[in-house]
Amino acid sequence: MSQTLQLFSEDAFVPTEAAAQRISLANDADPREADLNGITVIELDFPKFNDGRAFSQAFLLRRRLGFAGQIRATGDVLIDQLVQMQRSGFTQAVLRADQNLVHGQALLAHYPAFYQGDAVHTVPHFATA
């Protein structure tokens, strides 16, 4: 995969972009209604690990709105969600403080490719030349 999800620990994470370049969206917000002019980072919130509405938001931002900046997962983010986050269009994940970064990186490395397309790599694996 050409794009690897960047992982950060919640207890040590500090955003590097200017606040004016970042927008945070609640998981019930419609990204189509957000003003993304000048925005380079969109933070999507997971208030609970079992609430996956942010996956749909990320997919919508990448595929339908063509957002090319960083999409960051925040909130109750577990390593179990990382593969689906990467496939949905997230580029960064701020893991809950009790999650292990090394285990998360190993999990991502375990799946180097997928047969079907996703939000980032839309062409199915079998169709590549």
Side-chain angles (χ1 to χ4, degrees):
M1 295 191 148
S2 62
Q3 184 172 352
T4 302
L5 188 66
Q6 295 177 307
L7 304 181
F8 304 94
S9 181
E10 180 181 53
D11 55 357
F13 179 72
V14 177
T16 57
E17 70 282 346
Q21 295 176 310
R22 178 179 62 241
I23 187 172
S24 295
L25 297 179
N27 70 344
D28 61 351
D30 186 344
R32 295 171 294 189
E33 297 175 0
D35 180 7
L36 302 179
N37 290 323
I39 299 299
T40 60
V41 178
I42 299 174
E43 292 181 338
L44 299 178
D45 183 45
F46 287 83
K48 294 182 181 181
F49 73 89
N50 61 354
D51 186 339
R53 291 179 281 183
F55 289 114
S56 298
Q57 290 173 310
F59 192 86
L60 178 66
L61 285 160
R62 287 283 182 234
R63 290 290 297 271
R64 293 194 53 202
L65 300 178
F67 183 74
Q70 300 286 339
I71 300 178
R72 180 180 299 146
T74 61
D76 198 19
V77 178
L78 308 179
I79 63 171
D80 302 13
Q81 301 165 301
L82 296 179
V83 172
Q84 187 62 32
M85 283 181 181
Q86 183 167 292
R87 300 198 72 222
S88 298
F90 284 91
T91 54
Q92 298 179 335
V94 181
L95 299 173
R96 195 170 73 186
D98 66 345
Q99 299 295 291
N100 187 303
L101 284 174
V102 174
H103 290 155
Q105 291 163 341
L107 179 66
L108 288 170
H110 187 72
Y111 299 99
F114 296 92
Y115 190 71
Q116 71 277 25
D118 57 35
V120 179
H121 301 94
T122 58
V123 177
H125 185 69
F126 64 84
T128 59

Short mmCIF file of all heavy atoms in Angstrom, two decimals, residues 64-105:
data_model
loop_
_atom_site.label_atom_id
_atom_site.label_comp_id
_atom_site.label_asym_id
_atom_site.label_seq_id
_atom_site.Cartn_x
_atom_site.Cartn_y
_atom_site.Cartn_z
N ARG A 64 -16.28 11.19 -2.43
CA ARG A 64 -17.28 12.07 -3.03
C ARG A 64 -16.87 13.53 -3.02
O ARG A 64 -17.20 14.27 -3.93
CB ARG A 64 -18.61 11.90 -2.33
CG ARG A 64 -19.15 10.49 -2.61
CD ARG A 64 -20.56 10.23 -2.28
NE ARG A 64 -21.50 11.16 -2.85
CZ ARG A 64 -22.70 11.35 -2.34
NH1 ARG A 64 -23.08 10.69 -1.27
NH2 ARG A 64 -23.53 12.18 -2.90
N LEU A 65 -16.13 13.94 -2.00
CA LEU A 65 -15.73 15.34 -1.91
C LEU A 65 -14.31 15.58 -2.39
O LEU A 65 -13.88 16.72 -2.54
CB LEU A 65 -15.91 15.85 -0.47
CG LEU A 65 -17.33 15.78 0.08
CD1 LEU A 65 -17.38 16.25 1.53
CD2 LEU A 65 -18.29 16.58 -0.78
N GLY A 66 -13.54 14.51 -2.59
CA GLY A 66 -12.19 14.63 -3.10
C GLY A 66 -11.20 15.30 -2.16
O GLY A 66 -10.20 15.86 -2.61
N PHE A 67 -11.45 15.25 -0.86
CA PHE A 67 -10.54 15.86 0.10
C PHE A 67 -9.20 15.13 0.06
O PHE A 67 -9.13 13.91 0.22
CB PHE A 67 -11.13 15.83 1.51
CG PHE A 67 -10.27 16.51 2.53
CD1 PHE A 67 -10.19 17.90 2.57
CD2 PHE A 67 -9.54 15.78 3.43
CE1 PHE A 67 -9.38 18.54 3.51
CE2 PHE A 67 -8.74 16.40 4.38
CZ PHE A 67 -8.66 17.79 4.41
N ALA A 68 -8.12 15.87 -0.14
CA ALA A 68 -6.80 15.27 -0.28
C ALA A 68 -5.89 15.49 0.93
O ALA A 68 -4.77 14.99 0.95
CB ALA A 68 -6.11 15.84 -1.53
N GLY A 69 -6.38 16.20 1.95
CA GLY A 69 -5.56 16.46 3.13
C GLY A 69 -5.57 15.30 4.11
O GLY A 69 -5.97 14.18 3.79
N GLN A 70 -5.13 15.58 5.31
CA GLN A 70 -5.09 14.58 6.37
C GLN A 70 -6.48 14.38 6.97
O GLN A 70 -7.19 15.37 7.21
CB GLN A 70 -4.14 15.01 7.49
CG GLN A 70 -2.70 15.22 7.06
CD GLN A 70 -1.97 13.92 6.79
OE1 GLN A 70 -2.35 12.86 7.26
NE2 GLN A 70 -0.90 14.01 6.02
N ILE A 71 -6.85 13.13 7.21
CA ILE A 71 -8.06 12.82 7.96
C ILE A 71 -7.59 12.07 9.20
O ILE A 71 -6.99 10.99 9.10
CB ILE A 71 -9.08 11.99 7.16
CG1 ILE A 71 -9.51 12.77 5.92
CG2 ILE A 71 -10.28 11.65 8.04
CD1 ILE A 71 -10.50 12.01 5.03
N ARG A 72 -7.86 12.66 10.35
CA ARG A 72 -7.35 12.15 11.63
C ARG A 72 -8.49 11.58 12.47
O ARG A 72 -9.49 12.25 12.72
CB ARG A 72 -6.67 13.30 12.37
CG ARG A 72 -6.09 12.95 13.72
CD ARG A 72 -5.44 14.16 14.36
NE ARG A 72 -4.35 14.67 13.54
CZ ARG A 72 -4.03 15.96 13.44
NH1 ARG A 72 -4.70 16.88 14.09
NH2 ARG A 72 -3.02 16.34 12.67
N ALA A 73 -8.30 10.37 12.96
CA ALA A 73 -9.25 9.74 13.88
C ALA A 73 -8.89 10.12 15.30
O ALA A 73 -7.73 9.99 15.70
CB ALA A 73 -9.22 8.22 13.72
N THR A 74 -9.88 10.59 16.06
CA THR A 74 -9.66 10.96 17.46
C THR A 74 -10.76 10.34 18.31
O THR A 74 -11.78 9.90 17.81
CB THR A 74 -9.68 12.49 17.64
OG1 THR A 74 -10.95 12.99 17.25
CG2 THR A 74 -8.58 13.17 16.84
N GLY A 75 -10.54 10.32 19.60
CA GLY A 75 -11.55 9.81 20.52
C GLY A 75 -11.20 8.40 20.99
O GLY A 75 -10.05 8.11 21.30
N ASP A 76 -12.20 7.55 21.02
CA ASP A 76 -12.06 6.18 21.52
C ASP A 76 -11.55 5.27 20.40
O ASP A 76 -12.27 4.41 19.90
CB ASP A 76 -13.41 5.70 22.06
CG ASP A 76 -13.29 4.51 22.98
OD1 ASP A 76 -12.19 4.26 23.51
OD2 ASP A 76 -14.32 3.83 23.19
N VAL A 77 -10.29 5.49 20.00
CA VAL A 77 -9.70 4.79 18.86
C VAL A 77 -8.87 3.60 19.35
O VAL A 77 -7.93 3.76 20.13
CB VAL A 77 -8.82 5.75 18.03
CG1 VAL A 77 -8.17 5.01 16.87
CG2 VAL A 77 -9.65 6.92 17.53
N LEU A 78 -9.23 2.41 18.86
CA LEU A 78 -8.56 1.16 19.23
C LEU A 78 -7.77 0.62 18.05
O LEU A 78 -8.11 0.87 16.89
CB LEU A 78 -9.58 0.11 19.66
CG LEU A 78 -10.58 0.51 20.74
CD1 LEU A 78 -11.53 -0.65 21.03
CD2 LEU A 78 -9.88 0.96 22.00
N ILE A 79 -6.74 -0.19 18.32
CA ILE A 79 -5.96 -0.77 17.23
C ILE A 79 -6.82 -1.70 16.37
O ILE A 79 -6.51 -1.88 15.19
CB ILE A 79 -4.67 -1.47 17.72
CG1 ILE A 79 -4.98 -2.65 18.62
CG2 ILE A 79 -3.74 -0.49 18.39
CD1 ILE A 79 -3.76 -3.51 18.94
N ASP A 80 -7.86 -2.27 16.90
CA ASP A 80 -8.75 -3.15 16.13
C ASP A 80 -9.38 -2.43 14.94
O ASP A 80 -9.80 -3.07 13.98
CB ASP A 80 -9.87 -3.69 17.01
CG ASP A 80 -9.40 -4.44 18.23
OD1 ASP A 80 -8.20 -4.36 18.56
OD2 ASP A 80 -10.22 -5.12 18.85
N GLN A 81 -9.46 -1.12 14.98
CA GLN A 81 -10.13 -0.33 13.95
C GLN A 81 -9.18 0.16 12.86
O GLN A 81 -9.63 0.70 11.85
CB GLN A 81 -10.78 0.90 14.59
CG GLN A 81 -11.79 0.59 15.66
CD GLN A 81 -12.11 1.81 16.49
OE1 GLN A 81 -11.23 2.40 17.10
NE2 GLN A 81 -13.38 2.20 16.50
N LEU A 82 -7.90 -0.02 13.02
CA LEU A 82 -6.91 0.64 12.17
C LEU A 82 -6.98 0.24 10.70
O LEU A 82 -6.88 1.09 9.82
CB LEU A 82 -5.50 0.41 12.71
CG LEU A 82 -5.23 1.03 14.08
CD1 LEU A 82 -3.81 0.71 14.53
CD2 LEU A 82 -5.47 2.53 14.06
N VAL A 83 -7.13 -1.04 10.41
CA VAL A 83 -7.17 -1.48 9.02
C VAL A 83 -8.36 -0.85 8.31
O VAL A 83 -8.23 -0.31 7.20
CB VAL A 83 -7.19 -3.02 8.91
CG1 VAL A 83 -7.42 -3.46 7.47
CG2 VAL A 83 -5.89 -3.61 9.44
N GLN A 84 -9.52 -0.88 8.94
CA GLN A 84 -10.70 -0.27 8.33
C GLN A 84 -10.55 1.24 8.21
O GLN A 84 -11.01 1.84 7.24
CB GLN A 84 -11.97 -0.62 9.11
CG GLN A 84 -13.23 -0.18 8.44
CD GLN A 84 -13.46 -0.84 7.09
OE1 GLN A 84 -13.08 -1.98 6.89
NE2 GLN A 84 -14.07 -0.12 6.17
N MET A 85 -9.88 1.87 9.16
CA MET A 85 -9.63 3.31 9.06
C MET A 85 -8.80 3.62 7.83
O MET A 85 -9.13 4.52 7.06
CB MET A 85 -8.92 3.83 10.32
CG MET A 85 -9.83 3.98 11.49
SD MET A 85 -8.92 4.60 12.91
CE MET A 85 -10.25 4.62 14.10
N GLN A 86 -7.72 2.89 7.65
CA GLN A 86 -6.86 3.13 6.50
C GLN A 86 -7.63 2.92 5.20
O GLN A 86 -7.51 3.72 4.28
CB GLN A 86 -5.65 2.19 6.56
CG GLN A 86 -4.67 2.41 5.44
CD GLN A 86 -3.36 1.71 5.69
OE1 GLN A 86 -2.62 2.09 6.59
NE2 GLN A 86 -3.09 0.69 4.92
N ARG A 87 -8.45 1.90 5.13
CA ARG A 87 -9.21 1.60 3.91
C ARG A 87 -10.34 2.60 3.69
O ARG A 87 -10.81 2.78 2.57
CB ARG A 87 -9.76 0.18 3.99
CG ARG A 87 -8.61 -0.82 4.13
CD ARG A 87 -8.96 -2.22 3.79
NE ARG A 87 -9.13 -2.26 2.34
CZ ARG A 87 -10.10 -2.92 1.74
NH1 ARG A 87 -10.99 -3.58 2.44
NH2 ARG A 87 -10.20 -2.93 0.43
N SER A 88 -10.78 3.28 4.74
CA SER A 88 -11.86 4.27 4.62
C SER A 88 -11.35 5.66 4.26
O SER A 88 -12.14 6.54 3.97
CB SER A 88 -12.64 4.36 5.93
OG SER A 88 -13.25 3.13 6.22
N GLY A 89 -10.03 5.86 4.31
CA GLY A 89 -9.48 7.14 3.92
C GLY A 89 -8.76 7.91 5.02
O GLY A 89 -8.23 9.00 4.77
N PHE A 90 -8.74 7.39 6.23
CA PHE A 90 -8.00 8.05 7.30
C PHE A 90 -6.51 8.00 6.99
O PHE A 90 -6.02 7.02 6.42
CB PHE A 90 -8.25 7.37 8.65
CG PHE A 90 -9.58 7.66 9.26
CD1 PHE A 90 -10.67 6.85 9.01
CD2 PHE A 90 -9.76 8.75 10.09
CE1 PHE A 90 -11.91 7.11 9.57
CE2 PHE A 90 -10.99 9.03 10.66
CZ PHE A 90 -12.07 8.21 10.40
N THR A 91 -5.78 9.02 7.40
CA THR A 91 -4.33 9.05 7.24
C THR A 91 -3.60 9.07 8.58
O THR A 91 -2.41 8.80 8.65
CB THR A 91 -3.88 10.28 6.42
OG1 THR A 91 -4.42 11.45 7.03
CG2 THR A 91 -4.36 10.17 4.98
N GLN A 92 -4.33 9.43 9.64
CA GLN A 92 -3.75 9.48 10.98
C GLN A 92 -4.76 8.95 11.99
O GLN A 92 -5.96 9.14 11.83
CB GLN A 92 -3.39 10.92 11.37
CG GLN A 92 -2.36 11.56 10.48
CD GLN A 92 -2.07 12.98 10.87
OE1 GLN A 92 -2.88 13.66 11.49
NE2 GLN A 92 -0.88 13.47 10.52
N ALA A 93 -4.24 8.30 13.02
CA ALA A 93 -5.09 7.83 14.11
C ALA A 93 -4.40 8.14 15.44
O ALA A 93 -3.24 7.80 15.64
CB ALA A 93 -5.33 6.32 13.99
N VAL A 94 -5.15 8.82 16.30
CA VAL A 94 -4.67 9.12 17.65
C VAL A 94 -5.29 8.06 18.55
O VAL A 94 -6.47 8.11 18.87
CB VAL A 94 -5.05 10.54 18.09
CG1 VAL A 94 -4.51 10.82 19.48
CG2 VAL A 94 -4.54 11.57 17.09
N LEU A 95 -4.46 7.08 18.92
CA LEU A 95 -4.94 5.94 19.69
C LEU A 95 -5.24 6.30 21.14
O LEU A 95 -4.52 7.11 21.75
CB LEU A 95 -3.90 4.81 19.67
CG LEU A 95 -3.56 4.22 18.31
CD1 LEU A 95 -2.41 3.24 18.45
CD2 LEU A 95 -4.77 3.55 17.70
N ARG A 96 -6.26 5.67 21.67
CA ARG A 96 -6.57 5.81 23.08
C ARG A 96 -5.31 5.47 23.88
O ARG A 96 -4.51 4.61 23.46
CB ARG A 96 -7.72 4.83 23.41
CG ARG A 96 -8.40 5.10 24.73
CD ARG A 96 -9.64 4.25 24.85
NE ARG A 96 -9.27 2.86 25.10
CZ ARG A 96 -10.15 1.85 25.14
NH1 ARG A 96 -11.43 2.08 24.94
NH2 ARG A 96 -9.74 0.63 25.37
N ALA A 97 -5.10 6.12 24.98
CA ALA A 97 -3.86 6.02 25.74
C ALA A 97 -3.47 4.59 26.13
O ALA A 97 -2.28 4.29 26.25
CB ALA A 97 -3.93 6.89 26.99
N ASP A 98 -4.43 3.70 26.30
CA ASP A 98 -4.10 2.33 26.70
C ASP A 98 -3.79 1.40 25.53
O ASP A 98 -3.53 0.22 25.72
CB ASP A 98 -5.23 1.74 27.55
CG ASP A 98 -6.52 1.56 26.77
OD1 ASP A 98 -6.66 2.14 25.67
OD2 ASP A 98 -7.41 0.83 27.26
N GLN A 99 -3.77 1.93 24.31
CA GLN A 99 -3.49 1.12 23.13
C GLN A 99 -2.00 1.14 22.81
O GLN A 99 -1.32 2.15 23.00
CB GLN A 99 -4.29 1.63 21.93
CG GLN A 99 -5.79 1.57 22.14
CD GLN A 99 -6.28 0.15 22.27
OE1 GLN A 99 -6.26 -0.61 21.32
NE2 GLN A 99 -6.73 -0.22 23.47
N ASN A 100 -1.49 0.03 22.29
CA ASN A 100 -0.07 -0.13 22.03
C ASN A 100 0.26 0.24 20.58
O ASN A 100 -0.24 -0.41 19.66
CB ASN A 100 0.32 -1.58 22.33
CG ASN A 100 1.80 -1.82 22.26
OD1 ASN A 100 2.42 -1.55 21.24
ND2 ASN A 100 2.36 -2.34 23.34
N LEU A 101 1.09 1.26 20.40
CA LEU A 101 1.48 1.71 19.06
C LEU A 101 2.17 0.61 18.25
O LEU A 101 1.91 0.44 17.06
CB LEU A 101 2.41 2.92 19.14
CG LEU A 101 1.78 4.27 19.47
CD1 LEU A 101 2.85 5.32 19.67
CD2 LEU A 101 0.83 4.70 18.39
N VAL A 102 3.06 -0.12 18.88
CA VAL A 102 3.81 -1.18 18.19
C VAL A 102 2.86 -2.26 17.69
O VAL A 102 2.98 -2.73 16.56
CB VAL A 102 4.91 -1.76 19.11
CG1 VAL A 102 5.59 -2.95 18.47
CG2 VAL A 102 5.93 -0.68 19.45
N HIS A 103 1.90 -2.65 18.50
CA HIS A 103 0.92 -3.65 18.08
C HIS A 103 0.07 -3.12 16.93
O HIS A 103 -0.26 -3.86 16.00
CB HIS A 103 0.03 -4.08 19.24
CG HIS A 103 0.74 -4.90 20.26
ND1 HIS A 103 0.33 -4.97 21.57
CD2 HIS A 103 1.85 -5.66 20.19
CE1 HIS A 103 1.14 -5.74 22.25
NE2 HIS A 103 2.08 -6.18 21.43
N GLY A 104 -0.28 -1.86 16.98
CA GLY A 104 -1.05 -1.25 15.90
C GLY A 104 -0.28 -1.24 14.59
O GLY A 104 -0.83 -1.56 13.53
N GLN A 105 1.00 -0.90 14.64
CA GLN A 105 1.84 -0.90 13.44
C GLN A 105 2.00 -2.31 12.88
O GLN A 105 1.96 -2.52 11.66
CB GLN A 105 3.19 -0.27 13.74
CG GLN A 105 3.09 1.21 14.01
CD GLN A 105 4.30 1.80 14.72
OE1 GLN A 105 5.09 1.09 15.33
NE2 GLN A 105 4.43 3.11 14.65
#
